[in-house]
Amino acid sequence: QVRLVESGGGSVQAGGSLRLSCAASGYTFYMGWFRQAPGNEREGVAHIGFDGSTTYADSVKGRFTISKDTAKNTLYLQMNSLKPEDTAIYYCAADDRRFGRMKFLSVGEYNSWGQGTQVTVSS
């Protein structure tokens, strides 16, 4: 199990930017960002695979960038051109296992989750 702590959330006006950080304690083979708005299910935002490849939800493609710093064992999510519909609690997820040739995991497959950080985007 990996312990994860998110930070960097806050309030911003539409069109603004935020950078989220996820500090990990433990080995991380897969990592990703999810978000959940009140009354909604948790949805995938961006993921980075074991080979360094990345994937993004269509709703954030071109606006968000996921990256990691191996030396610091930290995951980042740079969010630009934020929209009110981006408002949610953002969660960092990680898994210390390797699932064969799988490059990315779904929400039900990650075994470690952070506490979440609130992102609020106003009109």
Side-chain angles (χ1 to χ4, degrees):
Q1 293 281 352
V2 182
R3 188 175 70 86
L4 305 170
V5 180
E6 302 99 334
S7 63
S11 297
V12 64
Q13 290 188 314
S17 299
L18 285 173
R19 189 192 192 207
L20 306 183
S21 298
C22 173
S25 297
Y27 181 76
T28 56
F29 198 84
Y30 303 95
M31 297 195 80
W33 289 98
F34 292 79
R35 66 186 182 186
Q36 187 169 20
N40 295 342
E41 64 182 16
R42 193 167 299 185
E43 63 176 353
V45 176
H47 306 268
I48 187 163
F50 64 84
D51 63 348
S53 60
T54 59
T55 185
Y56 298 88
D58 289 340
S59 59
V60 307
K61 195 172 299 181
R63 300 187 296 120
F64 291 9
T65 302
I66 186 172
S67 62
K68 63 179 179 181
D69 186 324
T70 302
K72 296 180 179 180
N73 204 21
T74 300
L75 183 73
Y76 302 98
L77 183 67
Q78 179 66 47
M79 305 185 294
N80 299 324
S81 302
L82 284 163
K83 305 175 181 179
E85 51 263 44
D86 293 320
T87 296
I89 299 176
Y90 283 70
Y91 298 90
C92 175
D95 203 296
D96 59 351
R97 301 170 293 178
R98 180 175 181 175
F99 296 87
R101 299 174 61 187
M102 291 178 62
K103 295 182 178 180
F104 309 104
L105 300 182
S106 65
V107 63
E109 295 173 316
Y110 282 98
N111 64 0
S112 298
W113 292 87
Q115 296 298 310
T117 184
Q118 178 70 47
V119 171
T120 302
V121 184
S122 60
S123 300

